[in-house]
Amino acid sequence: MTPRLPVGGAAEDLATATRSAAAVLAEAARERATVVLSGHVQPDADALGSTLALAEGLRRCGARVLATFPGPFTLPASLGWIPGAEGLVPADAVPSSPDVFVSLDAASPGRLGELASLLDRAGTSVVVDHHASNPGFGRVRLVDPAAPATVTLVADLLDGLGVALDARLATCLYAGLAADTGSFRFGSTRPETHELAARLLATGIDHAAISRRLFDTAPFGWLGLLSVVAGRAALEREVGAGLVWTWSSTAEAAEHGLPGEQLEALVDVVRSTAEADVACVLKGQADGSWSVSLRSRGATDVSRVATALGGGGHRAAAGYTSHLDREKTVEALRTELCTLSASGLPPRPSAFPDGR
């Protein structure tokens, strides 16, 4: 494995990493190589938008491209409309040893599920990510924890490849940018973020329609589920800087006529609680595990908590999977939050005081 490229530090180091990644992709396109691109398991708008935008750009450059994501191979309605989604192929349909494998928005190899093996089996692997907890994997790495979204790094790569932005590419990029900046509300938003947004809007995209599809469209059953889940929320002021948590499950979502991915939006409702710095939603899965989403209002670095429990993420947004029962899962979370609070460690510097 090659030494890790310097990333997320000086601008020249990030520029070097961007040029290196773009050079690998440009060579693959010139040689009409097979490139497999994947976001993380249960992709969000940033992972999917990054994957589809870069896939389309590479196709235009001449590469043979397959875009995918780890199973389960289903997309929520809020994402299935993104241009290029109809061309996604299941993970078991991609070659086991492609010329190039590109991982997008995955904080660790584990987030790539069954596709993680392509990191070693591919002729070259490129990792493009913005998670602060990324440990450094893949052969060529473009990882910038200060970036508000992975799509911003993809936009730089498209520029490096000489691919002009049009409405199709801009729609993919804007979806990821709006989602991971909280519609530009989070602290990760920088002047360059708005500059990129301006470039995307200049292509003629309907940004209002994109935001409506991402954030403001849900089945009526969502209201019933939200009522139940919010009603069982618990506030524990004494845990760390305050913890508010609740739970649901894919089975409960189904009772309301909803797919399991509808649970993802719950934490953004719970996080509005003023009396708790940390918000948590436990989402029960069909296999008995719990997918745990954490959000911080700023005083707690939840990426430290998630990493200690086997996951990762950003200072203000992180997650992990627990195979304990619900009570033990919450108890383990309480323990980590109290341990972090008692350690007296200063907050880790981050560009994400209230972002993802």
Side-chain angles (χ1 to χ4, degrees):
M1 183 175 290
T2 57
R4 183 173 183 178
L5 291 169
V7 295
E12 62 182 288
D13 294 335
L14 181 59
T16 298
T18 303
R19 285 194 297 269
S20 297
V24 169
L25 298 175
E27 181 180 3
R30 283 194 301 270
E31 296 181 355
R32 295 190 58 78
T34 298
V35 182
V36 172
L37 303 96
S38 176
H40 54 70
V41 64
Q42 295 179 329
D44 56 13
D46 190 25
L48 189 62
S50 296
T51 300
L52 295 176
L54 188 56
E56 177 63 19
L58 288 171
R59 286 192 190 97
R60 296 180 186 183
C61 292
R64 294 179 292 177
V65 175
L66 291 167
T68 185
F69 60 89
F73 190 69
T74 58
L75 286 176
S78 61
L79 298 180
W81 58 271
I82 297 178
E86 71 283 352
L88 290 163
V89 299
D92 59 8
V94 304
S96 60
S97 300
D99 298 310
V100 180
F101 174 60
V102 185
S103 165
L104 295 133
D105 201 44
S108 68
R111 294 285 283 159
L112 292 168
E114 67 269 36
L115 292 163
S117 61
L118 272 62
L119 290 165
D120 295 320
R121 292 180 179 174
T124 302
S125 57
V126 180
V127 171
V128 184
D129 185 36
H130 75 129
H131 289 90
S133 63
N134 191 301
F137 60 98
R139 296 172 189 168
V140 178
R141 307 177 183 99
L142 174 55
V143 181
D144 181 14
T150 296
V151 290
T152 65
L153 304 177
V154 170
D156 290 339
L157 289 175
L158 292 173
D159 288 343
L161 291 168
V163 177
L165 295 182
D166 58 14
R168 180 181 179 90
L169 292 171
T171 297
C172 297
L173 297 174
Y174 191 87
L177 191 64
D180 262 32
T181 62
S183 296
F184 309 99
R185 293 180 294 113
F186 297 158
S188 56
T189 301
R190 305 178 295 182
E192 308 94 288
T193 311
H194 288 293
E195 290 168 4
L196 175 58
R199 287 183 62 196
L200 301 179
L201 292 176
T203 66
I205 61 173
D206 187 342
H207 66 283
I210 292 172
S211 294
R212 186 166 54 250
R213 283 175 143 175
L214 288 175
F215 311 120
D216 298 330
T217 302
F220 180 72
W222 161 249
L223 297 179
L225 177 67
L226 179 60
S227 175
V228 173
V229 176
R232 64 166 69 111
L235 175 63
E236 301 185 18
R237 300 171 188 264
E238 72 282 0
V239 175
L243 168 67
V244 57
W245 67 277
T246 189
W247 63 273
S248 187
S249 67
T250 55
E252 184 172 54
E255 292 173 3
H256 291 266
L258 302 172
E261 57 263 20
Q262 203 73 53
L263 301 175
E264 299 302 316
L266 291 170
V267 71
D268 288 321
V269 177
V270 178
R271 72 184 295 175
S272 64
T273 303
E275 295 90 343
D277 185 60
V278 174
C280 169
V281 173
L282 281 66
K283 297 162 290 185
Q285 306 300 306
D287 64 0
S289 66
W290 293 93
S291 177
V292 183
S293 293
L294 300 175
R295 298 291 185 270
S296 169
R297 295 176 68 86
T300 306
D301 185 348
V302 290
S303 71
R304 280 194 171 120
V305 176
T307 298
L309 294 169
H314 300 301
R315 173 182 171 79
Y320 60 96
T321 297
S322 171
H323 295 280
L324 303 173
D325 62 29
R326 188 174 72 236
E327 290 75 15
K328 291 180 179 177
T329 294
V330 176
E331 185 56 39
L333 173 61
R334 291 189 188 103
T335 298
E336 288 301 328
L337 286 170
C338 291
T339 298
L340 180 62
S341 179
S343 70
L345 289 174
R348 183 168 60 192
S350 172
F352 298 87
D354 51 10
R356 297 192 176 190

